[in-house]
Amino acid sequence: MHPAFSVVFFTTATGAGYGLLALLGVLAGLGFVPPDFWLGAIGMGLALGLISAGLLSSAGHLGRPERAWRAFSQWRSSWLSREGVASVATFVPAGLFAIGWVVLGRTNGWVAVAGLLAAVGAVATVCTTGMIYASLKPIAQWHSRFTLPGYLIFSAMSGSVLLNALLQGFALSSTILLTGCSLLTLLGWGWKVATWRYNDRLEIPTNANTATGLAGGTVRSLEWPHTEENYLLKEMGFRVARKHKARLRQITQVLAFASPVLLLVAVFALPWPYAAVLSTLAAIVQFAGMLVERWLFFAEAKHTVTLYYGR
């Protein structure tokens, strides 16, 4: 696909936002995070801000944004519609959780229940987002066992790194959380490398013969049915040069995985406020790296419709 920045930012921002929201809902609801006013205001503001910014940016890829509301009616058959319903529904318990924490200064009782429901909604929304792409059979790079778990791993990874930066900023360091951030980042790194290797070795069973239903010879395209690239080729047939793809993969590994891990490991040995600075830097660098990773996720996908154009 031709990677539109609105979709790239949407998947990156909402993934990090929902990951942070789920962790805040569970940990604060269970009493592991104190009900501090500023901690709740900044933490929930960051989580809901990333989610809202991502959802709003996704409208930039729509030809008629004013008709976006109609997508909600297809929840019985469309993962895109289910994602919209789940994202809106998650705002209800998330809003109640934020009010209870920030306004009432408590994270127990019904506020804890709201936090846990918000966490469930966040996980469900990330699953629906991943299934949008995993369910597309014409795009072999997405229709695999790697897509949905990858969305969940990257959401947990980026959310945990954000939470660590948030707690370090309030001098609430946690060795367990710091260890979890590092391990999740390493898991995400391994999963991404495994996904690339799978896609690089992927043998697509569909060819021009099977696509057209013609046999008895080799079907090839003599010329295009038009003189310029149309919507299908721009959206579903984007090509990345091999050397550029290799360089972007290296940048992804450095920014999204290697650098954050090194910074987080250094945090173990540093006192506050240096630990807070490095933790914040790790979150920023990882977010930038995930933007590159998401761009590659879309750019490397190839739709079988390109067979009709000799690609």
Side-chain angles (χ1 to χ4, degrees):
M1 291 182 64
H2 185 276
F5 181 75
S6 58
V7 178
V8 172
F9 180 79
F10 159 70
T11 53
T12 305
T14 54
Y18 281 122
L20 178 59
L21 175 61
L23 290 172
L24 285 174
V26 172
L27 296 180
L30 295 177
F32 293 105
V33 176
D36 179 79
F37 170 80
W38 287 111
L39 179 60
I42 296 175
M44 292 300 296
L46 180 61
L48 296 179
L50 284 171
I51 294 170
S52 300
L55 292 174
L56 290 174
S57 71
S58 66
H61 194 61
L62 300 177
R64 300 295 294 272
E66 69 275 9
R67 297 179 180 177
W69 62 272
R70 294 184 177 180
F72 290 88
S73 63
Q74 307 301 315
W75 59 270
R76 293 181 181 85
S77 59
S78 169
W79 283 107
L80 178 63
S81 181
R82 292 165 186 164
E83 178 197 43
V85 173
S87 63
V88 172
T90 302
F91 271 102
V92 177
L96 292 174
F97 180 59
I99 291 173
W101 188 349
V102 177
V103 178
L104 303 180
R106 53 180 294 193
T107 55
N108 56 1
W110 66 267
V111 181
V113 175
L116 294 175
L117 290 176
V120 172
V123 174
T125 305
V126 173
C127 286
T128 57
T129 304
M131 284 304 301
I132 292 174
Y133 306 102
S135 64
L136 297 178
K137 294 182 179 180
I139 303 179
Q141 290 83 359
W142 294 348
H143 188 64
S144 74
R145 61 183 181 273
F146 289 94
T147 301
L148 178 57
Y151 266 84
L152 292 170
I153 291 171
F154 294 147
S155 180
M157 176 190 74
S158 53
S160 65
V161 173
L162 282 174
L163 179 59
N164 174 68
L166 179 67
L167 294 180
Q168 291 285 356
F170 284 85
L172 298 172
S173 61
S174 171
T175 303
I176 297 177
L177 177 60
L178 195 55
T179 303
C181 293
S182 304
L183 293 177
L184 281 172
T185 302
L186 290 173
L187 175 61
W189 192 354
W191 194 265
K192 188 73 258 186
V193 171
T195 304
W196 283 334
R197 289 181 178 177
Y198 173 82
N199 289 339
D200 290 342
R201 300 172 182 174
L202 189 62
E203 294 183 3
I204 301 177
T206 306
N207 52 41
N209 287 68
T210 58
T212 57
L214 300 175
T218 301
V219 177
R220 60 188 180 91
S221 176
L222 295 177
E223 60 180 12
W224 284 12
H226 40 75
T227 58
E228 297 181 355
E229 285 195 348
N230 61 359
Y231 170 81
L232 289 175
L233 290 179
K234 290 180 180 179
E235 292 294 318
M236 302 295 183
F238 186 77
R239 291 182 292 182
V240 185
R242 183 177 299 177
K243 64 177 182 179
H244 294 156
K245 180 172 68 174
R247 179 61 60 85
L248 288 173
R249 285 184 177 184
Q250 292 174 351
I251 293 174
T252 297
Q253 293 185 74
V254 171
L255 293 181
F257 308 113
S259 295
V261 166
L262 292 176
L263 291 170
L264 291 172
V265 169
V267 171
F268 279 100
L270 293 176
W272 193 88
Y274 303 106
V277 173
L278 290 187
S279 295
T280 303
L281 182 60
I284 295 173
V285 170
Q286 187 173 78
F287 189 86
M290 290 306 298
L291 287 173
V292 180
E293 186 277 331
R294 288 292 89 184
W295 190 92
L296 272 176
F297 174 79
F298 291 105
E300 292 181 323
K302 297 294 182 292
H303 199 290
T304 51
V305 73
T306 57
L307 291 171
Y308 290 101
Y309 297 89
R311 292 186 179 179

